[in-house]
């Protein structure tokens, strides 16, 4: 095993947990988990602590707002209240509006099923990005989060290692080529690899500790 492979193994072993997993989303290529991932990606893209975004995603689920039809049917105050229970107060009013509008768009254009959006993209990652950006509140950061996480069930997107993940690779003295990083990860799923690399990007101590343990 090469030194770089040891680094990847140590990193993934300690920090290879996706946001979907942390939010309690059992990600499958079916409508409800995909929609919950879309909402989670939206929440995580704001300038707010990740722990709050995760708690808010769980609060929305507990409030029954777990699919686009229920999200669109809920009144604005109901969405605001659910966001508040998760601690998402700084952006709650704007986000409540965006979630409602995004759910309506998903229902009207794709029948509430993100798999139809996937089929429209026809295997093209750039088209996936473009279509995802059409949802209110889904900017570049949210789109990157969604594609990093969904690549485990939408393999045409893999290996999706965005700029943030590649920052983690650079900090760990790993190659910044997605294909090469996927090779170093072996059987590790690309979504797990991406999640671990992002942790190294956002926390310098994680990167330093990984390098030390890989020795």
């Amino acid at each position: 095993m090469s030194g770089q492979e040891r680094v990847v193994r140590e990193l993934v072993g300690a920090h290879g947990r996706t946001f979907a997993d942390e939010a309690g989303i059992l990600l499958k290529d079916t409508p409800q988990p995909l929609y919950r991932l879309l909402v989670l990606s939206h929440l995580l893209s704001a300038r707010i602590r990740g722990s709050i975004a995760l708690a808010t995603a769980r609060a929305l689920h507990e409030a029954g707002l777990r699919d686009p039809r229920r999200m669109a049917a809920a009144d604005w105050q109901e969405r605001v209240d659910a966001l508040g229970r998760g601690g998402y107060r700084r952006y709650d009013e704007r986000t409540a509006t965006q979630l409602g509008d995004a759910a309506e768009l998903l229902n009207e254009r794709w029948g509430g099923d993100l798999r139809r959006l996937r089929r429209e993209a026809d295997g093209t990652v750039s088209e996936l990005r473009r279509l995802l950006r059409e949802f209110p509140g889904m900017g570049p950061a949210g789109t990157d989060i969604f594609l990093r996480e969904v690549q485990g069930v939408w393999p045409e997107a893999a290996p999706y290692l965005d700029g943030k993940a590649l920052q983690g690779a650079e900090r760990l003295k790993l190659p910044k080529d997605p294909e090469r990083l996927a090779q170093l990860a072996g059987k590790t799923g690309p979504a797990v690899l991406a999640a671990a690399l992002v942790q190294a990007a956002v926390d310098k101590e994680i990167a330093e500790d990984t390098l030390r343990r890989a020795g």
Side-chain angles (χ1 to χ4, degrees):
M1 180 181 293
S2 71
Q4 290 183 334
E5 287 172 322
R6 283 197 300 274
V7 169
V8 173
R9 184 186 64 180
E10 290 291 342
L11 177 70
V12 168
H15 303 287
R17 192 178 184 198
T18 65
F19 287 129
D21 185 37
E22 290 190 62
I25 301 170
L26 180 59
L27 193 57
K28 298 183 290 185
D29 189 28
T30 54
Q32 189 177 115
L34 291 171
Y35 176 67
R36 291 183 64 197
L37 177 61
L38 182 72
V39 170
L40 175 62
S41 301
H42 180 165
L43 298 174
L44 284 164
S45 67
R47 293 181 180 277
I48 200 163
R49 287 202 307 274
S51 59
I52 292 176
L54 290 163
T56 302
R58 290 189 288 268
L60 289 167
H61 180 75
E62 290 163 4
L65 306 179
R66 60 193 65 167
D67 65 60
R69 299 197 185 283
R70 293 178 184 178
M71 185 69 80
D75 64 39
W76 179 81
Q77 190 61 52
E78 187 178 350
R79 293 193 294 267
V80 169
D81 290 346
L83 290 164
R85 285 194 294 275
Y88 208 85
R89 295 184 179 87
R90 184 177 174 189
Y91 304 100
D92 54 354
E93 296 186 358
R94 182 182 68 181
T95 301
T97 299
Q98 290 174 336
L99 289 174
D101 291 345
E104 288 182 5
L105 174 62
L106 179 55
N107 289 329
E108 292 169 5
R109 183 164 172 183
W110 293 289
D113 189 346
L114 283 164
R115 295 175 301 180
R116 295 184 181 183
L117 178 150
R118 179 191 184 189
R119 285 195 291 271
E120 185 174 329
D122 196 25
T124 306
V125 175
S126 60
E127 187 66 2
L128 277 176
R129 287 182 59 84
R130 187 188 72 78
L131 293 172
L132 289 165
R133 289 284 303 276
E134 293 191 21
F135 290 112
M138 279 292 282
T143 300
D144 279 338
I145 293 167
F146 182 88
L147 290 171
R148 285 199 314 256
E149 298 268 320
V150 85
Q151 63 184 317
V153 295
W154 289 3
E156 70 273 20
Y160 192 88
L161 300 175
D162 63 328
K164 182 65 70 175
L166 295 179
Q167 285 176 23
E170 184 175 29
R171 183 169 272 179
L172 291 163
K173 301 178 176 59
L174 295 170
K176 294 180 66 178
D177 175 66
E179 296 289 347
R180 178 61 183 140
L181 286 165
Q183 290 174 358
L184 290 170
K187 295 182 179 179
T188 297
V192 171
L193 172 63
L197 287 170
V198 167
Q199 290 301 309
V202 300
D203 191 331
K204 186 178 180 181
E205 289 185 5
I206 285 176
E208 291 175 347
D209 183 58
T210 299
L211 290 171
R212 184 165 52 250
R213 285 186 287 108

